[in-house]
């Protein structure tokens, strides 16, 4: 889709397009309402500005739309399918050990039980070991700290998706 096409979509279609990048309803509604966008940069700046106005319920709604990192079977499938990645990234993800995958699974469940939402990280280009290291560092944070951390990661994910989908 082009930026021009996005600007011309009807309200429902535009909402659905934005929802693919971030599932927070208030964020999607605000992004639809602020069209038209003059450039990708303007779109991304608006996305960041709108995200900064969101509340915890909006963050949780966005987080809820993500799959949990640590489902061993889906992780194996994800890391086996590295055809489109740069060779350096392929090496990193292809080397995920069973031990790393199991630790991600276990710590993700511990994190979700502690915080009431799943671990969110902008995983693009990260190896399983890097994600595990981040999870180990963040698991001891307070829920309040993790809402902030996860929201920061969510906007990174959203911006990447906006760019990728245009």
């Amino acid at each position: 889709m082009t930026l021009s096409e996005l600007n011309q979509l009807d309200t429902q279609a535009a909402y659905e397009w934005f929802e693919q990048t971030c599932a927070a309803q208030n964020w999607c509604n605000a992004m639809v309402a602020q069209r038209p966008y003059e450039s990708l940069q303007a779109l991304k700046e608006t996305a960041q500005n709108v995200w900064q106005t969101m509340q915890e319920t909006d963050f949780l709604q966005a987080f809820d739309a993500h799959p949990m990192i640590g489902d061993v079977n889906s992780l194996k499938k994800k890391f086996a399918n590295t055809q489109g990645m740069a060779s350096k990234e392929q090496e990193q993800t292809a080397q995920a050990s069973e031990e790393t995958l199991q630790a991600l699974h276990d710590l993700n469940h511990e994190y979700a039980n502690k915080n009431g939402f799943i671990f969110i990280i902008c995983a693009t280009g990260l190896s399983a070991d890097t994600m595990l290291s981040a999870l180990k560092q963040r698991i001891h944070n307070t829920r309040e700290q993790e809402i902030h951390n996860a929201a920061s990661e969510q906007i990174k994910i959203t911006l990447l998706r906006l760019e990728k989908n245009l």
Side-chain angles (χ1 to χ4, degrees):
M1 170 160 317
T2 67
L3 189 59
S4 178
E5 291 169 336
L6 174 62
N7 287 333
Q8 294 174 18
L9 290 176
D10 66 48
T11 300
Q12 182 61 37
Y15 180 93
E16 290 170 3
W17 188 88
F18 281 110
E19 189 177 37
Q20 293 174 29
T21 65
C22 178
Q25 292 175 353
N26 289 331
W27 182 87
C28 293
N29 285 326
M31 293 300 294
V32 170
Q34 296 207 31
R35 292 179 306 154
Y37 297 101
E38 294 178 14
S39 65
L40 176 59
Q41 185 61 34
L43 173 67
K44 291 168 72 173
E45 286 174 10
T46 302
Q48 290 175 306
N49 292 337
V50 169
W51 188 245
Q52 290 174 2
T53 70
M54 295 294 106
Q55 303 298 313
E56 182 175 317
T57 55
D58 302 305
F59 298 149
L60 294 174
Q61 191 174 45
F63 304 162
D64 216 27
H66 290 274
M68 180 182 280
I69 296 172
D71 178 305
V72 175
N73 291 329
S74 66
L75 277 175
K76 284 181 184 176
K77 185 176 180 180
K78 175 183 175 184
F79 290 142
N81 184 16
T82 60
Q83 298 296 335
M85 295 183 185
S87 56
K88 189 179 283 188
E89 291 171 326
Q90 288 177 359
E91 291 171 1
Q92 291 171 355
T93 58
Q95 295 174 8
S97 69
E98 184 72 31
E99 180 181 327
T100 297
L101 295 174
Q102 190 61 53
L104 271 170
H105 177 270
D106 295 345
L107 282 176
N108 266 294
H109 285 278
E110 183 180 333
Y111 179 100
N113 289 336
K114 176 184 176 191
N115 294 301
F117 57 91
I118 67 168
F119 177 70
I120 302 293
I121 188 168
C122 184
T124 301
L126 299 181
S127 69
D129 287 321
T130 300
M131 288 187 282
L132 179 58
S133 176
L135 179 52
K136 285 179 178 178
Q137 289 175 352
R138 287 176 46 191
I139 199 159
H140 301 293
N141 291 338
T142 65
R143 184 177 189 279
E144 184 178 326
Q145 289 171 313
E146 279 309 296
I147 288 281
H148 174 76
N149 289 337
S152 294
E153 292 296 310
Q154 175 65 49
I155 192 60
K156 291 178 193 175
I157 295 164
T158 301
L159 294 173
L160 285 170
R161 289 176 179 176
L162 287 170
E163 200 164 323
K164 179 182 175 186
N165 289 341
L166 279 182

